[in-house]
Amino acid sequence: MSGVKIIRALLAADAALTALVPAVRIVAGVVPQGTALPAVAITEVSRVDINALKPGAYARSTSRVQVTVMAASYPMQKQILGAVRHACRDKVGTIAGVGGVSVLLDSTGPDFNDSDTGFYMQSQDFKVSFIEPT
């Protein structure tokens, strides 16, 4: 189980986001070089597992997941980042076959750009909590 899998499922299922970024360009891990823009990369920043002296069949984990938006213009970067925030904020339930999920907004990263190459980028972090078998 992973927070990345949960966030990828939420993003790929959101019609407003996939109208801007095709689901095939919403990737877990690093976006392959040469991928057309816009694209979205999803990575895990950290993970905390709740430990118990007498664990049961399931345990709760919380991941900090970073979603990085890459676009060819600053306005498109901001529009996609807004769609990412909307697609994932305040989600609960079973997502991508994972139970006990809750997704909360965390911090938004700074703007990055290279005007020579036409590359604009910004990230949004989420706290993703879920239950998984021990």
Side-chain angles (χ1 to χ4, degrees), residues 9 29 51 53 56 58 60 76 78 84 92-94 103 109 115 123 125:
N51 294 312
L53 291 174
Y58 295 91
R60 178 160 290 283
M76 183 58 73
K78 290 299 188 181
V84 163
V92 295
T94 298
V103 180
S115 56
S123 64
D125 289 3

Side-chain angles (χ1 to χ4, degrees), residues 15-134:
L17 178 61
T18 57
L20 300 170
V21 182
V24 297
R25 285 190 257 153
I26 300 172
V27 300
V30 178
V31 173
Q33 227 174 13
T35 299
L37 297 179
V40 173
I42 309 159
T43 55
E44 185 175 66
V45 175
S46 63
R47 177 174 165 149
V48 176
D49 296 314
I50 305 301
N51 294 312
L53 291 174
K54 293 184 177 185
Y58 295 91
R60 178 160 290 283
S61 296
T62 301
S63 291
R64 184 170 162 208
V65 176
Q66 185 172 77
V67 177
T68 304
V69 169
M70 292 158 270
S73 72
Y74 186 72
M76 183 58 73
Q77 167 200 312
K78 290 299 188 181
Q79 185 178 5
I80 295 168
L81 191 71
V84 163
R85 290 169 56 90
H86 184 267
C88 297
R89 90 180 310 156
D90 303 329
K91 299 295 191 246
V92 295
T94 298
I95 300 169
V98 181
V101 172
S102 67
V103 180
L104 299 172
L105 280 176
D106 202 11
S107 58
T108 302
D111 291 323
F112 288 104
N113 70 73
D114 183 341
S115 56
D116 292 335
T117 61
F119 187 84
Y120 297 83
M121 184 169 80
Q122 189 172 22
S123 64
Q124 174 64 56
D125 289 3
F126 295 94
K127 288 210 175 170
V128 183
S129 187
F130 54 94
I131 296 172
E132 66 181 341
T134 56

